[in-house]
Amino acid sequence: MHILVCEFVTGGGMPPDTAIPASLAREGNLMLHALLADLLEVPGVEVTVTRDARLPPLASPVRSITITDPRESWSLWEDLARQADGVWPIAPETDGALERFSRTVEVTGRHLLNSRADAVAVASSKAATAALLAAAGLPVVPVWRVRAVVADGPPGNGPWVVKPDDGAGCIDTRLIRDHADWRGWLAEADRSGFVVQPFQPGTPASLSMLCRDGRAWPLTANRQNVSLSGGRFSYGGGIVGGMALSPALTDLAQGVAVALPGLFGCVGVDVIVGPDGPTIIEVNPRLTTSSVGMRRATGLNVAAAVLDLSRDPPIPPPPVTRIEPILLTLEG
C-alpha cells in the first residue's frame, strides 16, 4: 500500500515569503516522525512525503519530494494523491487547510486516512462545533461569535477567552478579564473572525481516540500544559496518558463520535475537567501533538490501527491494556 503523508507546516504549506516559525516546525516534525515510525512498521506499506526546502531533509527511509515553491504545493499534493492508495494529511483547521486537504483527497477517490470533509468543516469552526454538541446534549463551553456580541459585549462580567473561530492550538488565544479589557481588545484589530467563550476553571486536558462511523475507541486522557502570561495562553505539551480515562470521559468520546459521524481515524477532544466533570472546549478532527507519545504510552501502533479501521469491514483496534504516562514538551 502506497501512502502519501502531507504534514502541512514542514511539507510545503507555509507562505514562501516568511520564515517558518521554529516552534511550528518542531511540532510538525514531531508528529511527522511519530507517524512515519508507525507506518514503516506496517508490512507492505510504502510512504511518500513532501518536504519544504527551507528545512533539513528527512532521515527516514521514505520517498521525500522537496518543495521549493510552496505556491505550487496544492497542485503537487493533488497529483501525488492520485498516485497513492491512501492519503494522511496532518494540517491545521486554520484558513480551511485541513478541509481543503480532505476534499481534495475525496475528489481523487483515494482512501482518506483522516476525518471526512463534512466533519472537518464543522470541527474547523468552534462556534459550529459547540452548537452541534450542545444540541446533542453534550457538556460544552458556550461559544459566541464576536460579531454577534460586539455591541454589548459577551454575556456576564468576565473573564472570557477569545480565539480565532478556526484557530489551532493556543494561537491568538487571550484572556479577557472584564468589559474594559474587552473594549481594548476589540480596538486592537479586526476581530470579525474570532469567537469568545466564558473562562472555564479546571484542569486542561485532551482525549485521544480513534473513530469510524459514529463510534469512538478512546486511547488516552492527557494532561495539557497550558500557561498564561501577559493575558496570552500558550501550549507547551503535557503528559500523554497523564489522566485516568474515566467513565465520564469515555462517554464523552462516544457522544462526540455520534454527533460527528464523519470523524475518522485519529481525533482529539480538548476538555476542561472541573469538579462537575469534563466540559468540551473543541474537537480536533486530525492527528494531534499527543500522538507523539502515544506509542510509548500505550504500546499501540496507531497508524496500523487506523489502516485496520479503514478496511471494509473495519477491524477495531485492540483494547489498551496498560498506560505509561509520557511527558511531552514542545520546548527547545
Side-chain angles (χ1 to χ4, degrees):
M1 185 179 191
H2 177 202
I3 296 175
L4 172 65
V5 174
C6 293
E7 201 292 310
F8 186 80
V9 172
T10 63
M14 301 301 285
D17 51 353
T18 58
I20 300 174
S23 60
L24 294 182
R26 173 174 167 75
E27 190 171 355
N29 274 325
L30 286 171
M31 289 189 288
L32 176 63
H33 284 292
L35 176 58
L36 293 181
D38 277 359
L39 283 172
L40 291 173
E41 286 191 7
V42 181
V45 167
E46 297 179 353
V47 180
T48 293
V49 301
T50 57
R51 189 70 171 173
D52 195 300
R54 291 170 287 182
L55 298 173
L58 290 174
S60 299
V62 297
R63 178 190 179 208
S64 181
I65 297 175
T66 301
I67 292 184
T68 56
D69 186 355
R71 290 169 294 189
E72 300 176 354
S73 294
W74 283 105
S75 59
L76 176 61
W77 287 331
E78 183 173 354
D79 289 342
L80 292 173
R82 294 184 184 279
Q83 300 170 31
D85 299 307
V87 182
W88 197 318
I90 309 172
E93 296 86 349
T94 309
D95 295 329
L98 184 59
E99 182 183 353
R100 183 176 177 182
F101 256 124
S102 301
R103 294 197 186 281
T104 296
V105 178
E106 288 174 353
V107 167
T108 67
R110 300 303 188 262
H111 283 293
L112 174 62
L113 299 173
N114 197 67
S115 296
R116 293 200 313 253
D118 58 348
V120 173
V122 174
S124 295
S125 165
K126 293 170 177 49
T129 301
L132 180 74
L133 298 183
L138 296 172
V140 59
V141 179
V143 177
W144 305 287
R145 297 183 189 274
V146 165
R147 63 175 179 266
V149 297
V150 66
D152 299 324
N157 296 313
W160 305 283
V161 176
V162 292
K163 61 184 74 170
D165 186 45
D166 65 351
C170 287
I171 295 175
D172 292 331
T173 301
R174 300 261 296 270
L175 180 69
I176 305 298
R177 300 187 182 280
D178 51 33
H179 283 283
D181 206 4
W182 166 260
R183 290 189 293 271
W185 175 77
L186 284 176
E188 291 176 2
D190 178 13
R191 305 300 190 186
S192 57
F194 280 69
V195 294
V196 55
Q197 300 172 286
F199 175 75
Q200 186 83 5
T203 302
S206 68
L207 273 168
S208 294
M209 60 191 196
L210 301 180
C211 295
R212 177 169 171 169
D213 297 334
R215 183 177 176 187
W217 290 268
L219 302 178
T220 60
N222 319 301
R223 288 185 179 270
Q224 291 187 330
N225 176 15
V226 177
S227 58
L228 177 65
S229 177
R232 298 178 182 272
F233 291 94
S234 61
Y235 171 65
I239 303 177
V240 180
M243 183 175 289
L245 195 56
S246 66
L249 288 171
T250 298
D251 290 346
L252 210 64
Q254 298 297 345
V256 169
V258 170
L260 277 167
L263 293 175
F264 174 81
C266 296
V267 175
V269 181
D270 289 344
V271 300
I272 295 291
V273 180
D276 297 326
T279 305
I280 300 168
I281 299 293
E282 62 186 52
V283 176
N284 299 303
R286 53 174 168 79
L287 199 72
T288 65
T289 313
S290 295
S291 66
V292 175
M294 192 61 59
R295 184 67 179 274
R296 287 178 293 159
T298 65
L300 178 69
N301 184 324
V302 173
V306 170
L307 292 177
D308 282 342
L309 273 180
S310 71
R311 300 175 185 270
D312 287 311
I315 300 174
V320 175
T321 57
R322 61 93 176 169
I323 294 178
E324 176 186 346
I326 298 296
L327 177 65
L328 174 64
T329 178
L330 299 182
E331 299 175 357

